[in-house]
Amino acid sequence: MINRDNNLKPDNSNNANSKFKSAFTLRLPAQILAVIAWIAVMVLIAWFSAQPADESTAQSHTVGTIICKIVIKDFKTFTQALRQYYIEMVDKFVRKGAHFTEYAFLGILSCAVMNFSLKSAADKMLQYAKEKNFRKLMSILLLFIIPVAWCCLYSVTDEIHQLYVEGRYASVSDVLIDTSGAAFGILIILLIRFIANRIKKHNAQKKTSTKNS
């Protein structure tokens, strides 16, 4: 009789295994995609830095000219010297904005890779931190400090790389802008994650209260 009852029980281990396999199958492509995008952004940054000063200036001046034509009324009627003055002024914001934006993307991808694609290692670190009562500190390290530190280190190596490119130079201010961009990108993602979790928690509480009533 006992054996019959046992036979009638569903095989929870098989169900758990199948759920794990399906979850892993759905998660793996995203993990690979995150790593590929992460590497691609770093390669793109290195490619921009590898361009000689004349080519880089010409590209940013082209963008600056387009912005001036859109923003400044009657820009085409200005003298060549005046147009060049505005283009060079806008060019500074274009270059710094490009630094900030590309490293914001790199920061987001670095955070994703270190906490999503390398999830098993991150989970082990968090479990160890929980046992040692410093889980919150470890979470901050994994979600923010380590990804930002990585982006800062990559920015330093990128600036050193520019020392060997014709007409280019290394800039400490660019490293600060790059690091700020990475921190900004990660903070935006963490804010979105925080809001999403609060909404999810609120909806769960709402469903529970509805069922109880």
Side-chain angles (χ1 to χ4, degrees), residues 19-79:
K19 287 181 181 179
F20 173 79
K21 288 178 181 178
S22 62
F24 182 79
T25 303
L26 291 172
R27 193 163 59 241
L28 183 59
Q31 291 175 344
I32 295 172
L33 185 62
V35 173
I36 292 173
W38 183 56
I39 294 171
V41 169
M42 287 189 288
V43 170
L44 185 64
I45 291 171
W47 179 75
F48 282 137
S49 297
Q51 293 179 338
D54 291 341
E55 292 182 19
S56 178
T57 301
Q59 289 177 353
S60 60
H61 277 194
T62 300
V63 176
T65 301
I66 294 171
I67 293 173
C68 286
K69 286 180 179 179
I70 295 171
V71 175
I72 302 174
K73 187 179 180 181
D74 299 327
F75 177 75
K76 293 181 179 179
T77 64
F78 293 174
T79 63

Side-chain angles (χ1 to χ4, degrees), residues 87-104:
I87 290 170
E88 289 180 359
M89 186 172 63
V90 171
D91 178 67
K92 294 178 181 179
F93 291 98
V94 170
R95 286 179 176 272
K96 302 309 176 185
H99 272 272
F100 191 89
T101 303
E102 63 191 11
Y103 272 86

Side-chain angles (χ1 to χ4, degrees), residues 106-163:
L106 183 61
I108 292 169
L109 291 169
S110 298
C111 183
V113 167
M114 293 175 191
N115 293 277
F116 182 55
S117 295
L118 303 179
K119 191 174 183 301
S120 59
D123 286 345
K124 288 180 181 178
M125 293 173 70
L126 285 171
Q127 182 60 36
Y128 175 78
K130 185 177 181 181
E131 293 172 358
K132 300 297 180 180
N133 296 321
F134 57 92
R135 184 183 175 87
K136 287 186 178 179
L137 175 61
M138 184 61 73
S139 296
I140 294 170
L141 283 170
L142 289 171
L143 291 171
F144 185 77
I145 295 176
I146 293 177
V148 170
W150 167 259
C151 293
C152 180
L153 177 62
Y154 187 76
S155 177
V156 170
T157 61
D158 189 53
E159 292 299 315
I160 293 172
H161 167 215
Q162 291 185 56
L163 290 173

Side-chain angles (χ1 to χ4, degrees), residues 202-213:
H202 174 74
N203 290 338
Q205 289 175 346
K206 191 175 180 180
K207 286 181 181 179
T208 303
S209 61
T210 303
K211 286 181 181 178
N212 292 335
S213 60

